[in-house]
Amino acid sequence: MKKGLIFILCVSLLFCFSATASAVNLQDESIYHVAVDRFYNGTTANDGERKGGLEHFLGGDLQGVIKKLDYIKGMGFTIVSLSPIFQNEANGFHGKWVKDFKKVDEHFGTMQDLKQLTKEAHKRDLKVMIDFVFETGPNHPWLSDPAKKEWFVEGSTTFDVSRPDVQAFIIDVAKWWIKQSDIDGYRLIDANRTEPQFLKKMAEEVKSVKKDFVLVADIGGGDPNTYQNSGIDAVMNTYFAKNVQKSFSNVDEPLSGLDGFTQSNLPVVSFLDDEDIVRFTRKAVENEAFPVTRLKLALTYLYTLPAVPFVYYGTEIALDGGNGAVNYRMMDFRTSTEIVEYITNLADIRKILPSLRTGQYHLLYEKDGMLVYQLKSGDETSIIAINNTSQTKSVTIGFRYLPDNHELRGYLKGGSIKSSKDGYTITLERETSEIFKLDEQKGASIPFISILVGVPVLFILFLYAAYKKGKGKQPS
Ligand SMILES: [Ca+2]
């Protein structure tokens, strides 16, 4: 038993999260990412020829995003992130086949629309990020232009960022969008195909235009530590997300091996879905599990890590997806709001409890799909328990980890757990989770306080009534 505890303690120490200072503190932020063409059609005036089918433009645009800003804000997000909006080649609904790096795609609107979007977002205290792409479409004239084809990594459409002329071009484009539209950040798509040295230069340049400009790098399965000191504020690692998908998309799946989000030296973005990985819902359905129940557990995990939660549009309605265009189904605003409400609740709890955003991570228990961990920040301690199994589970966390004579107060379902002689026994029904805060034990219960306050108030009311009655009887 003693050996077991020492082992858990050692593992916990290994799991300690230590973030280096980054230019922008993203710990209080959470990101909602929109595929502009698939979110909401704000005006049919820019739809062009509607061919139908997921391989073509389907009408979503910047005006549509403006109309849904309150929806995004309402779920508690602080950043709205947009799929690439640079002008694209035919059928570039995803925005990754760039034709003109200094023009808004006509299907999405105009620079005026983008300006209006940032203005409306800022009014709501929301930041706007857009995806930055380091490649052109497959039919770009530069690819066969003798003067420009050297700009690309051989045999690809990706810019060769080791070239000073390419660096100058990209930095010019990056600064131009900020000056034009007052956006607040870029998500750098496939940043792992560039170089940390170049990203550092790019970061310095864009942050010289706007001091608090946010840079999130999508690094595929790359090592986050490679990007330490590169001016990048946070990284998105697809490998971490796939691990979370695998663990939570099926019941009775062990929850070990999720350490990516908590072990990185650079702040990480915690996410389940994005355009490049098959959606969580599809994975759950393949496992014959109920996607909504599974999504809730995964979201509890994402929102209770010292990371930056990122939700891809449609996750909140358990939208189905797959590889390629199937991952970009049209958003539906008229379906169940069960997950929307759950996300809103998680965002509120994350706001109330700073330890969920900035705490030090310590693993307390992990066995066969039952996970308990602690986040500690200053005087505040949160305990997160997730039961990923098909049975009710009870785990006792001993006084080695938590002080005696306190209580664990539940924030998702409510209620509290007082210490027993061995510690705090957390019991969770199958496929449920809870977020607890360690609190001083309340001396008096609410009914007791009610009696304490209520009795004198009733007495005073009684005296007043008697006085009025007495006064009424007095002869004038
Ligand atoms: Ca439209």
Side-chain angles (χ1 to χ4, degrees), residues 340-458:
V340 171
E341 283 155 22
Y342 195 75
I343 288 175
T344 310
N345 196 15
L346 284 175
D348 284 343
I349 298 169
R350 195 173 163 89
K351 210 169 171 182
I352 297 167
L353 302 177
S355 55
L356 298 182
R357 291 173 263 132
T358 60
Q360 286 256 317
Y361 178 96
H362 289 276
L363 179 69
L364 298 179
Y365 180 91
E366 193 284 309
K367 196 170 181 288
D368 305 330
M370 178 72 181
L371 176 70
V372 184
Y373 55 95
Q374 167 187 284
L375 288 166
K376 204 167 180 208
S377 172
D379 294 338
E380 188 182 287
T381 301
S382 304
I383 305 289
I384 295 92
I386 305 177
N387 180 359
N388 202 39
T389 80
S390 51
Q391 287 161 352
T392 298
K393 291 273 181 188
S394 285
V395 174
T396 301
I397 306 297
F399 300 124
R400 191 186 185 107
Y401 301 106
L402 298 173
D404 197 358
N405 295 320
H406 280 61
E407 63 180 25
L408 297 179
R409 190 177 149 210
Y411 275 70
L412 272 174
K413 278 172 294 199
S416 66
I417 298 169
K418 290 191 168 57
S419 57
S420 60
K421 72 174 174 40
D422 298 322
Y424 299 83
T425 301
I426 298 170
T427 302
L428 287 184
E429 284 173 32
R430 63 172 290 170
E431 297 179 84
T432 60
S433 58
E434 182 58 289
I435 301 166
F436 299 100
K437 183 185 170 221
L438 182 73
D439 264 340
E440 299 279 334
Q441 242 179 50
K442 301 273 182 298
S445 67
I446 287 171
F448 180 66
I449 292 168
S450 309
I451 292 166
L452 213 68
V453 177
V455 168
V457 168
L458 282 172

Side-chain angles (χ1 to χ4, degrees), residues 169-381:
F169 169 75
I170 292 173
I171 287 167
D172 173 57
V173 169
K175 290 164 97 170
W176 184 84
W177 283 89
I178 307 168
K179 287 177 193 160
Q180 287 283 316
S181 63
D182 198 24
I183 50 169
D184 309 287
Y186 288 130
R187 186 173 69 132
L188 307 173
I189 301 297
D190 295 328
N192 50 320
R193 292 191 207 156
T194 67
E195 289 167 3
Q197 277 308 94
F198 165 67
L199 294 176
K200 188 171 187 204
K201 197 168 170 184
M202 184 176 176
E204 281 163 12
E205 293 277 356
V206 295
K207 289 177 192 217
S208 76
V209 179
K210 195 166 185 173
K211 192 165 85 43
D212 296 330
F213 199 78
V214 174
L215 289 176
V216 172
D218 152 39
I219 59 166
D223 178 4
N225 296 330
T226 311
Y227 298 86
Q228 217 176 333
N229 308 318
S230 68
I232 297 297
D233 302 306
V235 293
M236 288 182 78
N237 180 305
T238 309
Y239 178 75
F240 298 166
K242 282 184 176 171
N243 261 347
V244 178
Q245 275 200 350
K246 185 178 176 293
S247 303
F248 288 105
S249 62
N250 204 3
V251 70
D252 287 323
E253 200 64 42
L255 297 178
S256 52
L258 287 171
D259 35 329
F261 285 130
T262 52
Q263 276 191 323
S264 166
N265 287 327
L266 194 66
V268 292
V269 171
S270 55
F271 66 111
L272 288 176
D273 288 324
D274 80 353
E275 73 279 16
D276 287 335
I277 50 176
V278 172
R279 280 188 185 266
F280 183 94
T281 294
R282 174 69 63 95
K283 295 283 180 191
V285 170
E286 281 171 2
N287 291 329
E288 296 179 354
F290 182 49
V292 175
T293 309
R294 302 274 97 217
L295 271 166
K296 284 181 173 178
L297 292 187
L299 285 162
T300 299
Y301 184 68
L302 289 196
Y303 271 79
T304 55
L305 291 174
V308 188
F310 172 106
V311 174
Y312 185 42
Y313 86 98
T315 298
E316 77 272 35
I317 57 162
L319 195 63
D320 179 39
N323 286 309
V326 188
N327 237 13
Y328 291 88
R329 288 183 193 280
M330 205 66 202
M331 176 65 189
D332 183 355
F333 291 95
R334 289 165 300 181
T335 185
S336 163
T337 56
E338 188 177 346
I339 307 170
V340 171
E341 283 155 22
Y342 195 75
I343 288 175
T344 310
N345 196 15
L346 284 175
D348 284 343
I349 298 169
R350 195 173 163 89
K351 210 169 171 182
I352 297 167
L353 302 177
S355 55
L356 298 182
R357 291 173 263 132
T358 60
Q360 286 256 317
Y361 178 96
H362 289 276
L363 179 69
L364 298 179
Y365 180 91
E366 193 284 309
K367 196 170 181 288
D368 305 330
M370 178 72 181
L371 176 70
V372 184
Y373 55 95
Q374 167 187 284
L375 288 166
K376 204 167 180 208
S377 172
D379 294 338
E380 188 182 287
T381 301

Side-chain angles (χ1 to χ4, degrees), residues 69-82:
L69 284 175
D70 288 332
Y71 167 79
I72 296 166
K73 174 83 182 172
M75 279 185 281
F77 292 98
T78 63
I79 299 178
V80 52
S81 158
L82 309 179

Side-chain angles (χ1 to χ4, degrees), residues 40-47 59-61 107:
Y40 192 64
N41 193 350
T43 167
T44 53
N46 53 21
D47 287 5
D61 48 35
H107 295 88

